[in-house]
Every structure is written in structure tokens, then in C-alpha cells.
């Protein structure tokens, strides 16, 4: 699979996020391991399933990104936000790679910082997703 940043779309509270910083990535990761293995002294292994399916979506924007104004306001209001992250443009069921993560009850974890200077800099934003499921 070839990574194509033009195929990534992140929509927060109904608006597409724009203004990604140079060299930045969008990441989506579960907060906990899915299982916890325990192996006894005789080699027997038991797996404890973890019910926590929460995750975090992280991305970095230019300090001058128009999306930062909205994201700061949503974070300050502690607003519940709908988030959709789509990777790939799946047209046929056998297309390689694409997935979608979508949840209605997400929160921006921290108000994105402000940073002034001689360039626009980059600002990281983290969004908590209560149930992160990667769907085809």
C-alpha cells in the first residue's frame, strides 16, 4: 500500500481539518492493548481481554491553520464533537488499504497552544475517541 496524504480526510464537528504542518502525520492509536497475556512457570498462557477500546487521533497543524481557531473554541467549550477519519478512497470491496474511524462523542483533550515567532510553527492536536473501531 502506498501512503497518499491526499487520501486522508479528517472531519471534526462537521468541518474538514486543513493546514497540516510540513512533514506531519495523522495517527490513530488505541490507548490500551487489546489483550494482556500472562504465562505461568510451566508455559501455560492465559489471555485477559481488555474492554477499553478507546483511542486517540493526533495530528499537527501549522500555527496559521484556519482549523485551529475552530478547534480551540471547541476545546475551550469542552464540546462533544463528531469525528470521522478516512484513509483511502475505497471504491470496490477489494481495493487495498482504506479504512474509516467515526464516532459522535469525542473530545479535544487540550486547548491547542499558541506559539508566536518568526515562522508559523506547528501545533499538535489530540482528540479522544471513546470507541475506536477501524472499519473497511
Amino acid at each position: 500500500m502506498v501512503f497518499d496524504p491526499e487520501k486522508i480526510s479528517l472531519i471534526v464537528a462537521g468541518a474538514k481539518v486543513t493546514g497540516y504542518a510540513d512533514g506531519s502525520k495523522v495517527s490513530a492509536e488505541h490507548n490500551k492493548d487489546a489483550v494482556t497475556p500472562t504465562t505461568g512457570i510451566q508455559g501455560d498462557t492465559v489471555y485477559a481481554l481488555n474492554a477499553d477500546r478507546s483511542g486517540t487521533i493526533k495530528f499537527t497543524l501549522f500555527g496559521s491553520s484556519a482549523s485551529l481557531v475552530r478547534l480551540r473554541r471547541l476545546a475551550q467549550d469542552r464540546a462533544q464533537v463528531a469525528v470521522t477519519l478516512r484513509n483511502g478512497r475505497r471504491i470496490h470491496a477489494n481495493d487495498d488499504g482504506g479504512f474509516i474511524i467515526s464516532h459522535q462523542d469525542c473530545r479535544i483533550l487540550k486547548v491547542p497552544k499558541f506559539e508566536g515567532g518568526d515562522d508559523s510553527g506547528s501545533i499538535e492536536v489530540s482528540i479522544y475517541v471513546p470507541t475506536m473501531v477501524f472499519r473497511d
Side-chain angles (χ1 to χ4, degrees):
M1 182 169 103
V2 176
F3 177 74
D4 184 351
E6 292 182 0
K7 292 183 180 179
I8 301 285
S9 62
L10 177 60
I11 300 164
V12 177
K16 186 172 182 177
V17 175
T18 60
Y20 294 99
D22 186 36
S24 70
K25 296 178 180 162
V26 176
S27 69
E29 183 177 14
H30 283 102
N31 292 328
K32 305 279 183 174
D33 292 339
V35 297
T36 303
T38 304
T39 303
I41 61 171
Q42 293 180 324
D44 297 338
T45 302
V46 176
Y47 296 96
L49 302 180
N50 189 342
D52 181 356
R53 294 187 179 159
S54 67
T56 304
I57 296 173
K58 293 183 181 181
F59 52 97
T60 306
L61 300 176
F62 280 121
S64 59
S65 168
S67 294
L68 274 174
V69 174
R70 276 187 85 252
L71 294 170
R72 283 189 181 111
R73 184 175 31 82
L74 291 167
Q76 286 176 161
D77 293 346
R78 299 180 181 186
Q80 170 182 320
V81 294
V83 174
T84 300
L85 172 62
R86 184 183 309 271
N87 175 29
R89 295 185 185 118
R90 290 180 61 97
I91 297 169
H92 304 289
N94 60 352
D95 287 349
D96 186 31
F99 70 82
I100 186 170
I101 297 168
S102 187
H103 202 282
Q104 299 298 310
D105 185 23
C106 301
R107 298 284 197 277
I108 299 169
L109 290 176
K110 181 168 54 171
V111 176
K113 69 179 181 177
F114 170 79
E115 198 170 75
D118 58 355
D119 64 10
S120 65
S122 58
I123 311 292
E124 184 177 79
V125 180
S126 297
I127 299 177
Y128 179 82
V129 181
T131 305
M132 183 177 286
V133 178
F134 293 81
R135 302 188 198 288
D136 292 339

